[in-house]
């Protein structure tokens, strides 16, 4: 137990040190690489984000007129009481530490009230207007956490996919984080997708900077009509590519648009929108390309189209899944 406490205290000190160092740019490449290595540890990352939350909460309270007034009144009351006695001077250090911890709990409580989380289940979509007028639209099985402060608008994409329409405010940067990837914008429209550890950013309008120190020290700057895919297992240099934005964001209209997509990828995308999955049996040409527009969450049109084109048949499984099999005696 003592060892665990010492380890936790060391992690907190290291997280606080990194938070302080990264708060003052510029940063050398070696420093960013060291931070990325340190943050790869789940315990380190969790503690760093916890201290980030505390820092933002304190900044929010400091700039809140009501909180400033309450603090001034508390200090005035404290000054009056100190004329009679000084209780902290007679209390043991562990009790003073307990009072500090209580203040920390209160700070986190205020932060929790200002950090709403929006989420969708499989097959659902959801739209919300944030306090600054920005809009977020969630795709199937997605979740975001809003972490606004006086000087920064931060959204954490916990999973899935979201489209952001950002209200312009140069004094309050808008940042979306998805794992180690951060997307920074001032006034723009863009899509961020996080499936597992893989992240993809599609810029519809405006300009954004995408940074991921684990992949490249310098950020990428995207132009409208560009996409940036950041797979964790990347073996080649990552670079922005041209993308058809109406197709990439067609999910916002309830449809999925495929333009020369391998059958296996199209099936994987459709499966995100339904608990009943499409399965490709052995012998099905998974690498054949699919082009078309299909309703999200409704497999019927897709099954009919690919069955006709690739000479397949569908077999209903006992659990509700549909297996696509080759026609003829080889299907078993």
């Amino acid at each position: 137990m003592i060892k665990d406490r010492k380890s936790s205290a060391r992690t907190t000190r290291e997280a606080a040190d990194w938070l302080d160092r990264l708060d003052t740019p510029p940063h050398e490449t070696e420093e960013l690489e060291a931070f990325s290595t340190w943050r790869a540890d789940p315990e380190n990352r969790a503690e760093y984000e916890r201290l980030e939350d505390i820092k933002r909460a304190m900044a929010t309270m400091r700039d809140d007129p009501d909180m400033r007034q309450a603090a001034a009144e508390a200090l005035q009351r404290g000054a009056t009481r100190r004329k009679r006695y000084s209780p902290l001077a007679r209390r043991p250090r562990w009790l003073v530490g307990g009072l500090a911890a209580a203040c920390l709990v209160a700070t986190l409580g205020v932060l929790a009230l200002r950090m709403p989380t929006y989420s969708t289940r499989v097959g659902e979509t959801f739209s919300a207007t944030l306090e600054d007028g920005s809009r977020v639209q969630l795709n199937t099985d997605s979740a975001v956490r809003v972490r606004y402060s006086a000087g920064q608008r931060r959204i954490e994409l916990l999973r899935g996919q979201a489209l952001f329409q950002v209200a312009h405010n140069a004094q309050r940067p808008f940042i979306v984080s998805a794992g180690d990837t951060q997307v920074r914008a001032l006034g723009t429209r863009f899509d961020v997708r996080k499936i597992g550890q893989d992240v993809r950013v599609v810029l519809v309008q405006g300009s954004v900077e995408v940074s991921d120190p684990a992949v490249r020290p310098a950020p990428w700057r995207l132009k409208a009509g560009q996409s940036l895919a950041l797979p964790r297992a990347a073996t080649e240099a990552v670079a922005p590519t041209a993308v058809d934005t109406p197709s990439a964001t067609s999910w916002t209209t309830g449809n999925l648009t495929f333009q020369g997509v391998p059958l296996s990828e199209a099936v994987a995308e459709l499966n995100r929108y339904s608990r009943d999955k499409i399965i490709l049996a052995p012998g099905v040409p998974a690498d054949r390309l699919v082009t078309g527009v299909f309703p999200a969450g409704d497999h019927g049109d897709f099954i009919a189209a690919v069955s006709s084109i690739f000479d397949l048949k569908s077999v209903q499984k006992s659990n509700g899944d549909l297996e696509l099999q080759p026609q003829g005696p080889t299907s078993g």
Side-chain angles (χ1 to χ4, degrees):
M1 180 64 70
I2 293 176
K3 183 178 180 180
D4 290 342
R5 285 200 297 267
K6 289 182 177 179
S7 176
S8 177
R10 182 178 66 253
T11 300
T12 299
R13 288 194 300 270
E14 292 174 353
D17 179 61
W18 277 117
L19 193 62
D20 181 61
R21 290 164 64 183
L22 296 179
D23 197 40
T24 308
H27 309 299
E28 298 295 332
T29 300
E30 293 78 5
E31 184 178 34
L32 293 175
E33 290 176 347
F35 172 65
S36 180
T37 301
W38 177 85
R39 195 171 182 266
D41 185 288
E43 182 179 351
N44 293 345
R45 177 176 174 178
E47 185 63 10
Y48 183 84
E49 292 181 350
R50 185 181 74 88
L51 294 187
E52 270 191 318
D53 290 341
I54 294 172
K55 182 178 179 180
R56 292 191 189 96
M58 289 180 172
T60 299
M61 291 192 298
R62 183 184 65 240
D63 296 328
D64 189 310
D66 293 336
M67 295 303 296
R68 287 201 301 266
Q69 179 63 27
E73 293 175 356
L75 289 173
Q76 181 60 39
R77 289 194 299 269
T80 302
R81 290 171 182 162
R82 281 194 297 272
K83 292 178 180 179
R84 297 194 293 267
Y85 63 92
S86 180
L88 291 181
R90 300 183 181 182
R91 292 179 181 176
R93 296 179 65 181
W94 64 265
L95 183 55
V96 176
L99 292 174
C103 293
L104 176 59
V105 170
T107 298
L108 292 175
V110 171
L111 178 65
L113 294 175
R114 297 173 182 250
M115 290 174 57
T117 299
Y118 302 105
S119 62
T120 57
R121 293 176 293 186
V122 173
E124 292 182 341
T125 58
F126 175 79
S127 297
T129 300
L130 307 180
E131 64 180 60
D132 66 321
S134 297
R135 287 186 58 80
V136 56
Q137 187 168 353
L138 295 185
N139 200 357
T140 176
D141 191 21
S142 301
V144 297
R145 180 182 296 130
V146 180
R147 303 162 67 179
Y148 275 21
S149 67
Q152 187 178 86
R153 298 170 291 170
R154 180 176 289 270
I155 308 291
E156 184 179 2
L157 179 61
L158 304 174
R159 69 174 188 275
Q161 187 172 15
L163 182 76
F164 301 93
Q165 178 75 49
V166 181
H168 180 74
N169 186 337
Q171 283 70 48
R172 259 182 116 193
F174 190 99
I175 299 173
V176 176
S177 62
D180 291 332
T181 303
Q182 289 197 352
V183 185
R184 183 186 181 97
L186 292 177
T188 189
R189 187 165 179 256
F190 61 97
D191 179 289
V192 184
R193 170 172 165 163
K194 179 177 184 289
I195 305 299
Q197 296 301 311
D198 297 342
V199 177
R200 187 197 69 182
V201 181
V202 174
L203 181 59
V204 179
Q205 180 182 3
S207 177
V208 297
E209 280 191 350
V210 182
S211 60
D212 191 329
V215 180
R216 192 175 84 160
W220 297 267
R221 183 179 289 273
L222 301 189
K223 299 178 181 178
Q226 287 187 324
S227 172
L228 184 68
L230 293 163
R232 289 300 97 186
T235 57
E236 299 179 357
V238 174
T241 59
V243 66
D244 181 67
T245 55
S247 297
T249 59
S250 62
W251 63 267
T252 61
T253 66
N255 295 315
L256 299 177
T257 301
F258 302 126
Q259 294 184 341
V261 175
L263 176 59
S264 58
E265 292 184 18
V267 166
E269 184 66 15
L270 279 161
N271 283 343
R272 294 176 58 208
Y273 297 82
S274 176
R275 297 192 181 280
D276 297 330
K277 308 301 183 183
I278 301 174
I279 301 172
L280 299 181
V284 171
D287 58 344
R288 295 287 296 275
L289 303 183
V290 175
T291 296
V293 180
F294 305 96
D298 185 352
H299 294 163
D301 289 353
F302 180 83
I303 294 291
V306 298
S307 295
S308 174
I309 295 171
F310 303 129
D311 194 24
L312 306 174
K313 65 180 180 181
S314 61
V315 177
Q316 184 87 41
K317 297 294 186 179
S318 60
N319 63 356
D321 292 346
L322 282 170
E323 184 176 69
L324 289 176
Q325 303 174 353
Q327 290 277 12
T330 58
S331 64

